[in-house]
Amino acid sequence: MKILAIETSCDETAIAIIEGDGDTSSTHFTIIGNALFSQIELHREYGGVFPALAKREHGKNIVPLTRKALLEARMLQGGANAIRKDTRDTIKDILEREPGLVEQFFPFIEEMQIPGIDAIAVTYGPGLSPALWVGVNFARALSLSWGKPIVAINHMEGHILSALAKRVDDTRLEIGNVAMPVLALLISGGHTQLVLMRQWLSYELIGQTRDDAVGEAFDKVARMLGLPYPGGPEISRLAEEARQLGGPTPKFILPRPMLHDATCDFSFSGLKTAVLYAIRDRVTAKSEENSVKEFPSDTLTTEDKKSLALEFENAVTEVLWKKTARALDETNANTLVLGGGVSANKHISRTFTEKLSQKYPDVSLHIPHHSLATDNAVMIALSGFYHAQNNNFIAQENLVADGGASLSKRLRKQALP
Ligand code: KG4
Ligand code: ZN
């Protein structure tokens, strides 16, 4: 079965085409087309993702990226795909809400034959609503033009499946022999959650952050230290340098929020504020004036920044591990998944690998390959494959973006378009 997947939940516009074969006991996937454009450079000057800009850029890039992925998959064959007048009007209505898309869409569709895919998978949430709508409306328009069914995918499920996927080589992935229950620690820019999968693709929320997501905390702390967006990789780089220079330093001591409480919940906003106070104290101690400058990080030395990055990363990792261990005890999970952009963090993955083998040697750990850790459409295609196998399609007119979509509730099953 061949799936074309669309991902536009945040600042990556991505299209992937994969071919899947098998069932949940063993599935082989081949990535036959893959195109991604990251808007990171454009959002950098805002210090974070700016939703209106994300929407505009998705609208600008989604057609060229789809063309590129289809070309790579050898599915961009010439020949007219005439769209009936009434369908054309409906498509126009749908795409008029996405600036720039109508003009690009029809010439693109009408120059090619209907590609040999079986379904279109699209992220409907969670994420930034204006950004999600671009992908959702594009999927609706493709579905109407090609007569292919749609599967609506939860972005966080994509993160779980991309971790479960074993990479055979650049284009081949395998998912199989997954021992249930699976506990997933999902750590991204918008989420920090512990989720339990007792049965394939069915989820229970075990714990979550009560305020900031861990990726958000990384990004905000990086900003305080005068580092560019996204801050996770920057903090990680500084922390690694500090670690190589001799490890933990008593210069800064940050709290480990909610480490000892009896839940599997998290809180990172206090930790972020503690970093702000640590910077302020350091700056005040060093300067004559008693006020904090607008960018206090200016007066921090590189050594200060490295020490703070190290202590912050250690604090986050300690809390993440402690809560995950608590959840493992409570759920008796046999598999642990780390998913989401923050799972690309070396210290976190190293710590989890070491601690798991010492304390839970029977639990298998899955961390996504770096090419699948941050947002991409391959992960949406993996999820799309299993939902398409279950005929979990949604009629295009019922498909809506849902910025706050939760993994423990799915969109209702709908009739075929
Ligand atoms: O999953 P993702 O690509 O997008 C969302 O769904 O949010 O995650 C992005 C987040 C950002 O906050 C980014 O700073 C963080 O992942 N991130 C990292 C690292 N690489 C990306 N955080 C810590 N260490 C990293 N190496
Ligand atoms: Zn993500």
Side-chain angles (χ1 to χ4, degrees), residues 19 21 35 45 103 131 166 183 202 206 256 290 298 303 321 370:
E19 178 163 16
D21 188 21
E45 65 176 292
E103 298 74 16
K166 214 167 69 219
L183 178 71
S202 142
I206 302 294
R256 270 72 175 150
N290 245 2
D298 285 0
E303 204 208 337
W321 169 254
H370 65 83

Side-chain angles (χ1 to χ4, degrees), residues 68-320:
K68 188 166 171 240
L70 286 167
L71 187 68
E72 193 186 331
R74 298 174 188 274
M75 289 181 173
L76 200 68
Q77 267 114 26
N81 169 24
I83 298 176
R84 278 186 12 218
K85 172 89 174 62
D86 52 340
T87 312
R88 194 184 172 94
D89 290 345
T90 315
I91 293 175
K92 218 165 152 234
D93 281 350
I94 293 172
L95 293 183
E96 241 147 29
R97 290 164 232 167
E98 310 303 333
L101 257 187
V102 180
E103 298 74 16
Q104 291 191 64
F105 190 81
F106 290 106
F108 158 67
I109 288 294
E110 286 171 350
E111 77 180 23
M112 64 185 289
Q113 288 172 29
I114 296 176
I117 56 160
D118 298 286
I120 298 161
V122 61
T123 305
Y124 73 93
L128 301 170
S129 283
L132 287 164
W133 271 112
V134 182
V136 159
N137 282 331
F138 184 61
R140 296 173 64 203
L142 285 182
S143 170
L144 278 168
S145 312
W146 293 341
K148 304 286 180 185
I150 301 179
V151 271
I153 302 302
N154 184 298
H155 180 86
M156 305 313 285
E157 182 174 80
H159 278 306
I160 297 179
L161 292 180
S162 66
L164 288 175
K166 214 167 69 219
R167 187 173 175 277
V168 181
D169 57 32
D170 280 356
T171 56
R172 284 183 303 157
L173 300 168
E174 272 173 26
I175 296 184
N177 292 325
V178 180
M180 299 283 164
V182 175
L183 178 71
L185 173 66
L186 299 175
I187 40 181
S188 70
H191 289 82
T192 301
Q193 294 181 332
L194 279 159
V195 170
L196 190 69
M197 175 161 78
R198 284 187 206 277
Q199 285 168 27
W200 196 242
L201 308 189
S202 142
Y203 307 95
E204 282 164 53
L205 188 64
I206 302 294
Q208 64 184 331
T209 182
R210 296 190 179 168
D211 39 59
D212 292 356
V214 61
E216 188 182 353
F218 266 99
D219 294 339
K220 287 179 177 165
V221 165
R223 205 170 161 174
M224 290 178 207
L225 297 180
L227 302 168
Y229 173 84
E234 299 288 329
I235 298 266
S236 173
R237 185 177 50 80
L238 287 189
E240 281 297 313
E241 281 175 29
R243 223 168 259 122
Q244 272 156 21
L245 289 173
T249 147
K251 199 188 269 178
F252 298 103
I253 296 177
L254 296 172
R256 270 72 175 150
M258 296 182 67
L259 192 67
H260 298 296
D261 94 321
T263 70
C264 292
D265 284 348
F266 306 88
S267 164
F268 292 105
S269 88
L271 178 58
K272 174 193 71 188
T273 313
V275 173
L276 184 69
Y277 289 160
I279 296 173
R280 194 181 63 185
D281 293 348
R282 190 90 187 130
V283 173
T284 313
K286 280 168 67 180
S287 69
E288 293 295 314
E289 346 117 23
N290 245 2
S291 65
V292 183
K293 292 189 183 165
E294 196 186 346
F295 293 107
S297 63
D298 285 0
T299 43
L300 288 179
T301 62
T302 308
E303 204 208 337
D304 286 343
K305 290 185 187 181
K306 283 185 188 169
S307 309
L308 258 173
L310 176 66
E311 174 66 0
F312 172 77
E313 195 176 71
N314 285 344
V316 166
T317 308
E318 220 175 299
V319 175
L320 290 176

Side-chain angles (χ1 to χ4, degrees), residues 356-410:
L356 203 72
S357 70
Q358 285 162 9
K359 301 201 169 128
Y360 301 86
D362 298 331
V363 176
S364 64
L365 177 63
H366 295 257
I367 301 175
H369 183 261
H370 65 83
S371 61
L372 294 178
T374 50
D375 291 351
N376 63 85
V378 172
M379 68 186 204
I380 304 306
L382 298 178
S383 178
F385 171 83
Y386 294 110
H387 287 291
Q389 264 196 339
N390 291 345
N391 288 323
N392 206 353
F393 300 115
I394 183 164
Q396 68 78 17
E397 64 272 24
N398 293 332
L399 179 62
V400 288
D402 178 2
S406 128
L407 196 52
S408 33
K409 287 187 220 107
R410 263 196 66 76

